[in-house]
Amino acid sequence: MEQIIKEEKMRRIGMKRRLAREIAVSSLYQMEMNEVTAAEAVDMIMEELRQDNELGADPKEIGSTDDFAREIVNGVIARKSEIDGMLQQFLTGWQVDRLSRVDRQVLRLACYEMVFRDDVPPKAAINEAIELAKHFGTEESGKFVNGVLGKLLLGIDELKA
C-alpha cells in the first residue's frame, strides 16, 4: 500500500511538472514574440489557463504549478546566452536563431534542465522535451529535438563541468 501511495504522489508531481513545462515553453515563446518580461509572460499564460484552459489542465493543478513554471522560465532567461552556446555545438547545419520559435524554446528549456538542475534526470528532460515538441511544434519537431538533445546528452559531463 505504501508503494502505491508513493507511486501516485510521484505521478502527480510529474503531471504538475509537465504542466509547468508547458507553461514555461508558452511563456518563453510569448517573451520572444511580444518582448515582455518573464513575469508578464507567465502571468499572461496563467490567466489564459484560468479562463480558456486550452492545455486541458486540471484547475486544481494550475495554481500549484505557478512557482515551478516561474523558476524554470527565470532559469532559462538567466542563462539564455550560455544555453544557446551549448545548443549551437549540437545543431549540425543550423543556427539557434534560425530554428522555429517553438523548437528553440523547447531546446532551451531541456538544456537548462539537463545541465543546470540536479532534480531532473537528463533522460527525463529529453522525454519531456520530445513530448512538448510534439505538442507545440510540427510533425518533425519531436525527432529534431530528440536528435539535438541526444547529442547534448553525450557531452553532458563536459557541459556540467
Side-chain angles (χ1 to χ4, degrees):
M1 184 60 140
E2 199 171 298
Q3 180 66 25
I4 293 171
I5 293 170
K6 185 178 179 183
E7 287 174 9
E8 179 61 21
K9 186 176 183 181
M10 293 305 291
R11 187 185 69 73
R12 273 193 244 121
I13 290 169
M15 288 174 61
K16 289 179 186 178
R17 286 197 164 200
R18 171 152 305 159
L19 178 58
R21 288 181 182 102
E22 290 178 3
I23 293 166
V25 168
S26 297
S27 297
L28 293 166
Y29 184 89
Q30 190 75 252
M31 290 172 68
E32 192 169 296
M33 289 293 294
N34 299 312
E35 296 182 21
V36 295
T37 67
E40 291 169 330
V42 174
D43 287 345
M44 281 190 267
I45 300 303
M46 295 300 288
E47 186 58 31
E48 285 176 21
L49 268 179
R50 286 184 186 96
Q51 290 182 6
D52 302 334
N53 198 3
E54 289 180 10
L55 295 176
D58 179 347
K60 291 178 260 175
E61 304 291 318
I62 293 172
S64 62
T65 60
D66 190 282
D67 290 341
F68 184 64
R70 288 178 194 282
E71 185 180 323
I72 56 180
V73 167
N74 288 326
V76 170
I77 296 307
R79 297 183 179 269
K80 186 172 144 187
S81 60
E82 196 175 351
I83 289 167
D84 285 357
M86 290 176 185
L87 289 172
Q88 192 58 60
Q89 297 175 47
F90 304 101
L91 287 170
T92 310
W94 288 89
Q95 296 293 317
V96 173
D97 63 340
R98 302 291 293 165
L99 298 175
S100 78
R101 285 186 173 104
V102 169
D103 291 351
R104 184 170 43 246
Q105 306 319 328
V106 170
L107 286 168
R108 283 175 175 159
L109 176 61
C111 181
Y112 168 71
E113 288 194 306
M114 291 171 73
V115 177
F116 299 106
R117 292 192 65 100
D118 294 328
D119 62 336
V120 181
K123 288 184 180 179
I126 292 172
N127 289 336
E128 288 292 322
I130 292 166
E131 292 305 313
L132 288 167
K134 287 178 184 177
H135 179 73
F136 288 115
T138 66
E139 206 163 297
E140 297 300 312
S141 292
K143 293 176 193 169
F144 177 72
V145 165
N146 185 34
V148 174
L149 296 178
K151 291 177 196 173
L152 190 144
L153 182 61
L154 295 175
I156 195 83
D157 292 333
E158 264 181 56
L159 294 173
K160 285 187 170 197

